Amino acid sequence: MLKSLLSSIGVSSFERSAADLFRHYAEQWADTVRQDYFGNTVATMNTGAKYRVLLSAHIDEVGFQVTEVCQNGLLKVRGIGGVCPARLNTQQVVVCADCGYVNGVMVSTPMTNDGKMPDIKDFFVDIDCQNREQAMQLIELGAPVAFMPNYSVHDSVITSKSIDDRVGCYVVLEVMKRLKGRLKKIRLSVAATTQEEIGLRGMAAVAQTEQPDMAINVDVTDAEQLDKTSRPRMGEGCAIVLNADSHAMFRERVIKTASRANIALQKCLGREITGGSDSSRMQIFSPKTLVGELVIPCKYMHSHTEKCSLNDIESCINIITDLLTGLDEELA
């Protein structure tokens, strides 16, 4: 399931293929599954229970969109989400076309004329076409472009595109799978939200329609790496966010749950003190919801070769599973 989710294609606002895969898995354990006009997928089990818990993660990934087909057959693109241009040259991509996926390579001169590193506007996608007419037989303007699937695992470390945030989608599905038939008082929903990378748009709709009592968002965060210090380390557990995205009551419950069950847990400051993930949209559009966020350390975010640890994914699953099991017993 994890490899399939990471390998699926779902650039922000073009998430249907990845969202349908999420739905396919969710239908195995949920009582009901629905999708809205945003493309959000919400699956629910134990629908008769009164206390509503929502687990969420965003299904979309960063990518590009074709803006021009050039006379020489190359494609000009614009970025969708926060893609780092310094990591793009010669990366393999796929262009989503009516005929299927067309393989391509991101190309640019090493430097611009003024000696600066190239921006996304300086890149082209080479799809092995000799001229515009040949390229137009395959590609239409507006076609989404994604990093080519490249999943691999070595010593419990995953390298792949779209770890942000398909690992979160995997976590919430796995929690639902493990809790199937075990909850008595909790109505559990899991959501794969869309368009997070371009403004947290999907969660704004989910928050207003679901209005849960508790919401737990699962995302990734920058791990300690070459240019980022004092961050959570890969392989030492998921992390609880200490900014406004997590309510103090939620943080306290998570820390106690991890300590009692001896599950690895780190602490993380988060993006900004004011938030910046789907959690913030849940807080704004469903103000009666107790909101919290757990994050998985990730290296080289928004690139073709993101990295995370299977151990951190498992710690996140275990913490949420234990937390909800304990909460269900309290509500009995």
Side-chain angles (χ1 to χ4, degrees), residues 304-320:
H304 187 243
T305 50
E306 299 175 339
K307 288 180 177 288
C308 74
S309 169
L310 287 169
N311 297 330
D312 301 337
I313 295 172
E314 186 64 21
S315 83
C316 192
I317 294 168
N318 289 337
I319 287 173
I320 297 173

Side-chain angles (χ1 to χ4, degrees), residues 230-251:
S230 301
R231 304 294 178 96
R233 292 185 176 183
M234 277 176 42
E236 297 186 8
C238 67
I240 177 68
V241 173
L242 301 180
N243 66 6
D245 286 340
S246 288
H247 193 281
M249 290 174 60
F250 175 81
R251 293 199 297 266

Side-chain angles (χ1 to χ4, degrees), residues 105-323:
V105 176
M106 299 290 293
V107 293
S108 172
T109 55
M111 294 286 184
T112 60
N113 292 333
D114 56 5
K116 296 181 179 179
M117 291 294 294
D119 197 356
I120 290 177
K121 63 181 176 60
D122 302 310
F123 280 88
F124 300 84
V125 178
D126 186 345
I127 57 170
D128 299 323
C129 289
Q130 302 304 311
N131 51 56
R132 185 176 189 275
E133 289 70 25
Q134 186 181 2
M136 287 295 291
Q137 292 177 9
L138 299 173
I139 305 300
E140 293 184 352
L141 290 179
V145 182
F147 291 124
M148 184 174 288
N150 59 335
Y151 175 94
S152 67
V153 60
H154 178 70
D155 287 344
S156 298
V157 173
I158 299 170
T159 301
S160 177
K161 75 171 189 70
S162 67
I163 284 176
D164 178 15
D165 184 31
R166 301 287 165 71
V167 295
C169 294
Y170 171 76
V171 165
V172 301
L173 284 170
E174 188 65 25
V175 170
M176 172 171 270
K177 175 184 175 182
R178 296 186 188 187
L179 289 177
K180 177 68 174 178
R182 294 174 57 187
L183 299 178
K184 306 300 181 185
K185 298 297 183 179
I186 291 177
R187 176 188 187 272
L188 180 63
S189 297
V190 299
T193 61
T194 60
Q195 301 184 34
E196 191 268 359
E197 299 290 1
I198 55 173
L200 318 176
R201 292 159 58 89
M203 178 54 90
V206 170
Q208 293 178 81
T209 55
E210 289 301 304
Q211 298 283 305
D213 296 290
M214 174 187 287
I216 304 174
N217 189 55
V218 182
D219 208 332
V220 299
T221 191
D222 284 315
E224 185 175 287
Q225 55 196 284
L226 182 64
D227 59 338
K228 294 178 173 67
T229 58
S230 301
R231 304 294 178 96
R233 292 185 176 183
M234 277 176 42
E236 297 186 8
C238 67
I240 177 68
V241 173
L242 301 180
N243 66 6
D245 286 340
S246 288
H247 193 281
M249 290 174 60
F250 175 81
R251 293 199 297 266
E252 181 180 354
R253 181 176 283 271
V254 166
I255 292 169
K256 286 183 177 179
T257 298
S259 177
R260 182 172 58 248
N262 196 28
I263 303 171
L265 176 68
Q266 303 181 75
K267 295 179 180 179
C268 170
L269 291 177
R271 290 174 175 84
E272 302 289 345
I273 190 62
T274 53
S277 70
D278 271 349
S279 295
S280 63
R281 287 298 177 268
M282 177 59 72
Q283 292 167 325
I284 292 169
F285 290 104
S286 184
K288 293 183 179 180
T289 300
L290 178 66
V291 180
E293 181 162 283
L294 288 169
V295 290
I296 295 168
C298 174
K299 287 184 178 179
Y300 320 127
M301 199 187 304
H302 289 189
S303 77
H304 187 243
T305 50
E306 299 175 339
K307 288 180 177 288
C308 74
S309 169
L310 287 169
N311 297 330
D312 301 337
I313 295 172
E314 186 64 21
S315 83
C316 192
I317 294 168
N318 289 337
I319 287 173
I320 297 173
T321 301
D322 281 22
L323 186 152

